[in-house]
Amino acid sequence: MKKPHEVLKEEMKNQGLIQRELALRTGVSEKHISTVLSGSKSISPSFAKKLEYVLGISASYWLSLESDYALFKIEDAEKNSISEEEYAIFDTIKEVISELENLHQISRGKTLENKILYTRKYLRVSSLCELDGLKHILTNQLLYKNKMLDAPYLYAFSKLIDVINKKIPKCECEEKRLILKLFEIKSYMFHDENQILNDINYLLNDIGIQVNVIKDFGRENQIGMIVKNDNQSYSVFVSAKDNYADIFWFKLFHLLSLIAFNKVEKYYFDYLNSSHDVVRATSYAKNILLNQFNYRDFINEKDFSLKSISSFSEFNNVCNFIVIGRLKEEGYLDKSAFPRERIKYHF
């Protein structure tokens, strides 16, 4: 950063001027020149005009130097003003911010302090501590019933969604038709992994729904997000925890169930919790994947061998990983059981 007084010194040297001569030519005291050259006093608009006459360099140049240097000093002071609370808030959203950097939405700060300042600018707040007051930006009040959802993360995540929500279905969603499509979508788990998302969207785009897969950013119970677009279509964002296929299918059906029940206004950021809508969607999603009565009978038989699981999976028209994943989730199988059967997707 060029310091105005140092630039002035350099220009005086280039033009062979000493302090006394510059004072005489500009009509100010030698003491005034001395304080400017030491950096103790800034170049005022009137003195900048005098320098224009004497040095042949425009007043706007000197004032621009002063302005840029003043902002530089303020930014430097801002780095020192970051509180422990603000550092802690940034830590909760740093992975989302990193993704926004990857998408070239935020400049990459070389230091943690610079990252926080760039994040302030992008989220349009003077401090990240102010984000808690921005809950009203997301209109669906269901978002705030779960205490696990902190406002800074919600706000940053919703901004990321706005950036990547580019491919919007062209037609209004027909929620009633969605219910009929769910069982057809279920059969897609037998498709080639590289075609699954394309096949799902080929079917759902026709009724106003687009499905996307995003990172979960380390949030244990995060299922994903639904955006109701201005044309009344829906964009669904499924968070892929550890890329497990069974978790993807459960989360997908959970979010689609919420749309089918018409529970989304503008944004719906979904967490596993005990609210009525989430419990209902959870139950519905599980029942689509595995009929609840068949599953109950299977559990009561207590035969969790791979042969029995395969037979039950085939009967319910699902892959083995759906049954194995649910058995592990509910504690009927050890987490390490059948590792080769519980596959991961690489979308």
Side-chain angles (χ1 to χ4, degrees):
M1 170 56 63
K2 293 181 179 179
K3 297 180 180 179
H5 64 280
E6 292 180 350
V7 175
L8 179 56
K9 281 181 183 178
E10 186 179 336
E11 193 56 40
M12 287 172 63
K13 182 180 178 180
N14 292 339
Q15 298 196 25
L17 291 173
I18 60 174
Q19 285 189 38
R20 186 164 182 271
E21 185 180 356
L22 182 63
L24 290 171
R25 288 181 179 276
T26 55
V28 300
S29 68
E30 195 171 339
K31 181 180 179 181
H32 181 88
I33 299 295
S34 179
T35 56
V36 170
L37 291 176
S38 68
S40 302
K41 184 186 288 288
S42 61
I43 298 174
S44 66
S46 61
F47 187 56
K49 194 65 181 174
K50 293 176 185 295
L51 290 176
E52 180 180 308
Y53 292 136
V54 175
L55 301 177
I57 299 173
S58 70
S60 61
Y61 172 78
W62 297 108
L63 294 177
S64 178
L65 277 179
E66 281 291 352
S67 177
D68 291 346
Y69 184 55
L71 285 173
F72 172 78
K73 290 192 292 184
I74 289 172
E75 293 240 342
D76 202 47
E78 283 291 296
K79 294 175 186 178
N80 297 322
S81 73
I82 299 171
S83 66
E84 290 300 318
E85 181 185 2
E86 191 169 12
Y87 278 114
I89 289 172
F90 182 79
D91 191 60
T92 68
I93 63 174
K94 63 183 179 183
E95 292 189 35
V96 179
I97 298 304
S98 177
E99 190 66 15
L100 285 164
E101 288 176 343
N102 293 336
L103 294 168
H104 307 292
Q105 299 297 308
I106 300 179
S107 300
R108 290 186 184 275
K110 293 182 178 180
T111 66
L112 176 58
E113 288 73 23
N114 279 334
K115 286 180 179 291
I116 291 174
L117 297 186
Y118 289 146
T119 301
R120 286 181 184 177
K121 290 177 184 177
Y122 184 75
L123 299 182
R124 299 168 63 189
V125 288
S126 60
S127 166
L128 300 184
C129 300
E130 308 300 333
L131 287 172
D132 192 59
L134 292 172
K135 289 180 178 179
H136 67 280
I137 296 297
L138 303 177
T139 57
N140 190 340
Q141 293 305 307
L142 288 172
L143 291 167
Y144 314 119
K145 292 182 179 180
N146 191 323
K147 294 180 180 179
M148 291 186 292
L149 298 178
D150 54 284
Y153 181 77
L154 268 176
Y155 188 57
F157 189 83
S158 68
K159 298 293 280 186
L160 172 62
I161 292 299
D162 287 341
V163 170
I164 61 180
N165 187 24
K166 300 300 183 185
K167 192 174 182 180
I168 297 174
K170 296 180 180 179
C171 61
E172 180 177 344
C173 180
E174 301 175 53
E175 289 88 351
K176 293 180 180 179
R177 287 182 63 194
L178 172 59
I179 294 175
L180 300 175
K181 301 280 188 183
L182 292 178
F183 288 95
E184 184 175 351
I185 293 172
K186 176 181 171 179
S187 67
Y188 291 177
M189 70 176 67
F190 293 99
H191 291 195
D192 181 88
E193 175 186 335
N194 296 321
Q195 281 298 119
I196 289 174
L197 271 181
N198 289 335
D199 292 343
I200 289 172
N201 282 318
Y202 183 79
L203 183 71
L204 292 181
N205 281 178
D206 188 49
I207 57 170
I209 299 172
Q210 171 74 26
V211 175
N212 310 272
V213 176
I214 55 170
K215 296 178 182 178
D216 68 353
F217 302 109
R219 295 300 174 112
E220 186 64 30
N221 293 320
Q222 181 179 325
I223 291 178
M225 191 168 190
I226 305 170
V227 179
K228 192 170 187 178
N229 301 305
D230 292 339
N231 66 350
Q232 303 304 302
S233 66
Y234 290 96
S235 296
V236 177
F237 298 87
V238 184
S239 61
K241 176 68 175 175
D242 297 327
N243 298 321
Y244 282 117
D246 59 293
I247 295 178
F248 165 78
W249 285 102
F250 166 71
K251 289 181 175 182
L252 173 64
F253 282 118
H254 182 97
L255 292 167
L256 293 178
S257 297
L258 285 166
I259 294 176
F261 300 152
N262 201 20
K263 293 299 181 182
V264 181
E265 295 174 18
K266 174 58 180 174
Y267 291 101
Y268 194 102
F269 189 95
D270 202 35
Y271 255 74
L272 282 178
N273 58 55
S274 57
S275 72
H276 173 73
D277 293 322
V278 172
V279 170
R280 185 184 178 198
T282 298
S283 177
Y284 195 75
K286 286 183 175 180
N287 192 49
I288 290 174
L289 291 167
L290 297 171
N291 179 276
Q292 60 181 324
F293 301 110
N294 294 341
Y295 183 71
R296 183 186 61 193
D297 293 341
F298 176 70
I299 294 299
N300 289 337
E301 290 177 6
K302 299 181 180 179
D303 179 4
F304 305 134
S305 64
L306 185 56
K307 181 180 179 180
S308 177
I309 289 172
S310 297
S311 177
F312 180 66
S313 299
E314 184 178 358
F315 182 76
N316 283 272
N317 193 33
V318 295
C319 297
N320 285 359
F321 58 72
I322 294 292
V323 180
I324 290 171
R326 183 161 173 184
L327 290 173
K328 287 184 177 184
E329 177 200 350
E330 297 179 358
Y332 294 110
L333 278 180
D334 186 85
K335 296 292 184 183
S336 61
F338 309 123
R340 294 182 180 179
E341 294 291 327
R342 196 182 185 198
I343 69 169
K344 291 186 176 184
Y345 287 149
H346 301 90
F347 290 132

